[in-house]
Amino acid sequence: MQNSVNKNRNESLILNALNYIIKNQLDDPKMKDFSITYVDLSRGKYYCAVYITHWKLEKVAEIVEYLNKNKGIFKSLLAKQLSFYKIPDIVFKKDNSIENAEKIEELFKKIKK
């Protein structure tokens, strides 16, 4: 139970720090329009998957590619913001929850008919 609470707290800290970095420290205006939906930290805190979405779903792949190319910058900025012993390696991924929700909604519509 304690590990789960610590993991959730650390994921929340990383999420808040990344949101702050993106909104206040990025100079590229087209990279400020996406949002981080959630963070998944590995058990040993070595890896961190950051899931993002954008209101234009076709732009998500471009944004993920840009962020993954510059993940070293994010890692160094995170190190300045967080007091972790080791900053995890970051991997940015597309959040598919919107597409999944739309598929489920379509299934419900088919069932209703």
Side-chain angles (χ1 to χ4, degrees):
M1 178 70 180
Q2 185 66 25
N3 287 337
S4 175
V5 172
N6 286 338
K7 181 179 183 265
N8 290 340
R9 182 178 60 85
N10 288 335
E11 287 173 346
S12 178
L13 288 171
I14 292 171
L15 177 70
N16 290 335
L18 282 173
N19 277 325
Y20 176 81
I21 290 167
I22 289 164
K23 300 302 178 204
N24 298 318
Q25 296 179 349
L26 276 185
D27 293 334
D28 195 353
K30 65 182 177 182
M31 289 298 143
K32 293 188 178 201
D33 292 338
F34 68 93
S35 62
I36 299 173
T37 52
Y38 65 97
V39 172
D40 186 23
L41 189 61
S42 71
R43 188 177 203 137
K45 300 181 195 172
Y46 293 112
Y47 303 100
C48 179
V50 178
Y51 293 88
I52 66 162
T53 190
H54 191 277
W55 62 278
K56 289 184 179 178
L57 294 177
E58 62 273 0
K59 289 187 76 174
V60 174
E62 174 189 337
I63 294 169
V64 167
E65 182 181 339
Y66 171 82
L67 293 173
N68 280 321
K69 283 182 182 177
N70 297 302
K71 62 185 174 183
I73 296 168
F74 289 100
K75 189 173 178 177
S76 66
L77 291 172
L78 268 179
K80 292 177 184 176
Q81 294 235 336
L82 301 174
S83 60
F84 288 178
Y85 175 72
K86 181 186 182 312
I87 300 297
D89 289 331
I90 302 170
V91 177
F92 292 95
K93 296 182 178 184
K94 178 183 177 185
D95 182 13
N96 294 322
S97 61
I98 294 174
E99 290 93 356
N100 292 342
E102 288 174 355
K103 288 178 186 175
I104 291 171
E105 195 169 320
E106 289 294 322
L107 290 174
F108 281 140
K109 286 180 183 178
K110 287 181 182 178
I111 291 171
K112 193 174 183 179
K113 290 181 181 180

